[in-house]
């Protein structure tokens, strides 16, 4: 791996960027890191992702790869190593991809609206977020009964895609003004959260939950101020 | 393949459902088809896709697979056959996945807003649609210079994901009240459209462009009527 040049362009609170951190760290791939200022993006980012001009971008031996799930898939192909993220079985693979995508379509979307929306829309976003987390609890119980991860005993593609939202839970609750149901109601989800948080590779890049919560409040205040 | 039970639940104008038709037809997989009434969805659809309750769903030997790109990926794993859709090379695979996803994020989104939005938003949607098509023209010229498809001489994952939008072009123009730039401005896009339209497997399930245009106008009238 020493011959490879691997660089991640990112912005620290991004759950999409964290997916890339997690995949690289689970594989033990060494990489350079470049923090981006989203109000003054680097020339490198603009050139590497001209379509979306968004982080994260992985630059591997000079070639840019964009979109977090595409990047995680790429990492799994290039460095299969001892920790394969995508199951070999086509159906299990499809299930992992479905739940990874659920993170984008439902979890991110609800969290994003919770931070930015007002009034009824804000309330609806909180309900949608709880629904999404409940569905993840149910899915864990169905897909991997008795096991901690979507991948069973080890994190797979779905786990890597969904785990970055864990450090946002506190922020969601702060800006949402609610308390999420506890482990007695969502046993699989809490077991998964504990299991994810205890993986050494995950600890490397996860920001402090308090720092994320402060960041969520800053965004919300900025939105309210601009309204 | 005779032992396999393969069934597609779909609604005929869906570009997402067409992706599944195209992938199966390119592979030569036989399948049953069930047309869904979206105002009165079948019990089978509701049970097969409880999270989104949406088409398309592929049911293979009793197991449901949901979300069109996940389904196409699954089809490519289960029936690799002579026509592989995802490139073996990790970077080429990432590029194909990126442009397939672009269909969801930019092309579908702009087209959907064009049909449903009014006033300035409607105008903006038309501009966004033209931008997305221009980017596809540019991408074809960069990724596969001199070749008809994203996959070079044959359709790949990106082609299958984007090709279903072709039969919507006429509808987009009708409800958008504009004419798309011609082949002199978008040579790669027009070459791609001609190449896609001449693939026998694509002809099997593509609805008539006029029928899609009528359908787009019906949706728009319904939206205007409800506004």
């Amino acid at each position: 791996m020493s011959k490879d040049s691997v660089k991640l362009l990112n912005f620290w609170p991004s759950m999409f960027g964290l997916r890339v951190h997690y995949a690289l760290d689970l594989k033990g791939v060494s990489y350079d890191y470049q923090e981006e200022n989203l109000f003054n993006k680097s020339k490198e980012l603009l050139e590497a992702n001209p379509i979306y001009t968004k982080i994260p971008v992985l630059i591997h031996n000079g070639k840019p790869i964009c979109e977090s799930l595409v990047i995680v898939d790429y990492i799994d192909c290039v460095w299969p190593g001892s920790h394969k993220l995508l199951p070999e079985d086509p159906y299990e693979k499809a299930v992992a991809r479905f739940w990874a995508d659920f993170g984008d379509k439902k979890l991110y979307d609800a969290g994003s609206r919770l931070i930015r929306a007002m009034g009824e829309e804000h309330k609806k976003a909180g309900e949608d977020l709880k629904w999404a987390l409940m569905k993840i609890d149910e899915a864990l119980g169905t897909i991997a009964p008795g096991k901690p991860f979507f991948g069973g005993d080890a994190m797979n593609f779905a786990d890597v895609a969904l785990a970055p939202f864990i450090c946002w839970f506190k922020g969601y609750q702060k800006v949402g003004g609610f308390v999420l149901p506890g482990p007695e109601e969502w046993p699989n989800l809490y077991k998964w959260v504990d299991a994810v948080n205890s993986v050494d590779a995950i600890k490397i890049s996860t920001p402090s939950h308090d720092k994320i919560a402060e960041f969520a409040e800053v965004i919300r205040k900025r939105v309210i101020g601009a309204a």
Side-chain angles (χ1 to χ4, degrees), chain A:
Chain A
M1 282 183 207
S2 60
K3 283 185 233 159
D4 277 312
S5 145
V6 184
K7 186 176 185 178
L8 171 58
L9 313 187
N10 189 32
F11 176 55
W12 68 272
S14 167
M15 44 284 269
F16 303 113
L18 266 184
R19 288 173 172 171
V20 184
H21 273 301
Y22 290 174
L24 291 168
D25 291 340
L26 283 166
K27 302 276 186 181
V29 177
S30 302
Y31 55 101
D32 294 322
Y33 181 85
Q34 182 170 303
E35 178 74 6
E36 289 285 334
N37 174 351
L38 300 189
F39 294 106
N40 185 19
K41 293 170 186 172
S42 72
K43 191 162 167 276
E44 196 170 8
L45 173 59
L46 299 178
E47 285 178 1
N49 190 357
I51 296 290
Y52 298 112
T53 69
K54 280 185 182 172
I55 56 89
V57 175
L58 188 75
I59 302 179
H60 181 210
N61 296 336
K63 286 181 175 174
I65 303 105
C66 306
E67 294 298 285
S68 65
L69 293 182
V70 175
I71 300 173
V72 174
D73 197 283
Y74 175 84
I75 290 169
D76 204 36
C77 288
V78 173
W79 297 280
S82 56
H83 191 133
K84 197 79 177 71
L85 296 174
L86 279 158
E88 283 302 313
D89 175 76
Y91 187 73
E92 288 178 24
K93 194 187 294 190
V95 170
R97 287 195 191 282
F98 177 89
W99 286 101
D101 177 71
F102 181 85
D104 290 8
K105 293 218 174 94
K106 294 296 178 183
L107 206 51
Y108 174 74
D109 173 69
S112 185
R113 284 186 283 117
L114 186 72
I115 290 171
R116 290 172 179 81
M118 304 295 153
E120 279 305 307
E121 277 181 51
H122 178 67
K123 200 179 150 198
K124 176 71 168 58
E127 289 163 5
D128 290 347
L129 182 71
K130 286 184 195 170
W131 175 86
L133 292 170
M134 183 185 71
K135 289 295 156 190
I136 291 175
D137 176 72
E138 289 175 7
L140 281 161
T142 310
I143 296 164
K147 301 284 188 181
F149 300 111
F150 279 92
D153 292 317
M155 289 179 71
N156 77 2
F157 190 76
D159 294 296
V160 165
L162 295 170
F165 291 93
I166 294 173
C167 61
W168 276 81
F169 286 1
K170 196 169 187 173
Y172 289 146
Q173 293 186 83
K174 268 200 155 176
V175 303
F178 56 71
V179 175
L180 290 172
E184 61 295 330
E185 201 164 326
W186 290 343
N188 306 310
L189 184 78
Y190 277 83
K191 189 177 170 186
W192 175 74
V193 166
D194 285 345
V196 168
N197 287 341
S198 67
V199 173
D200 285 338
I202 297 303
K203 294 175 192 167
I204 299 170
S205 299
T206 306
S208 113
H209 299 203
D210 285 328
K211 211 175 146 199
I212 291 278
E214 279 171 36
F215 178 74
E217 289 192 299
V218 167
I219 304 178
R220 181 149 184 86
K221 278 178 191 158
R222 199 181 292 158
V223 175
I224 292 172

